[in-house]
Amino acid sequence: MVRAILCAGACAAAGVLLAGAMKSEGISEKARKLHFSSIVVDTHDDTTQRFLDGKFDLGTRGSTGSIDLPRMREGNLSAIFFSIWIPSKVTGPEAVDRALVQIDAVASKSASIRTIWF
């Protein structure tokens, strides 16, 4: 417990120091250059379930959510891992079926945007 409190305190202190180092109008030029010259990977994105909605278009800037191709390009996102999430109350074959539907949706959406992304 003490270790967790110390870790949280260290993270909070680092956040305060980083916030103080930023210019008032946003990130520093050095941080911007570092970000845009790096490979940027989002290792957990919860957009997958939105793929199941026939109205969701990853290729256009949406008014809801935070992931779409325009934002990914603007933010220099190099790679993304879409998470597959099933509520914990859903188990057994139904959970497997739901996961497979989400996996298929990611594969389908990926295939459909390949031509506009690359």
Side-chain angles (χ1 to χ4, degrees), residues 5-114:
I5 292 171
L6 290 174
C7 184
C11 288
V16 169
L17 291 173
L18 287 172
M22 291 175 56
K23 294 181 179 177
S24 61
E25 67 271 2
I27 63 172
S28 72
E29 185 62 21
K30 183 177 180 180
R32 190 190 71 69
K33 284 181 181 177
L34 175 63
H35 176 81
F36 283 95
S37 65
S38 299
I39 295 173
V40 179
V41 180
D42 181 343
T43 61
H44 184 101
D45 183 77
D46 291 319
T47 304
T48 305
Q49 291 181 333
R50 298 184 76 199
F51 290 167
L52 302 176
D53 176 5
K55 298 175 186 170
F56 177 69
D57 182 6
L58 189 65
T60 60
R61 181 180 292 278
S63 59
T64 60
S66 58
I67 295 293
D68 52 49
L69 290 179
R71 287 186 181 104
M72 292 164 69
R73 284 187 185 116
E74 291 168 10
N76 191 43
L77 186 59
S78 305
I80 190 166
F81 290 86
F82 292 107
S83 63
I84 305 300
W85 178 81
I86 307 299
S88 61
K89 293 179 182 180
V90 179
T91 61
E94 182 183 0
V96 173
D97 289 343
R98 286 191 187 189
L100 291 173
V101 166
Q102 287 183 42
I103 292 167
D104 288 344
V106 170
S108 175
K109 185 61 72 173
S110 297
S112 71
I113 64 170
R114 213 170 271 147

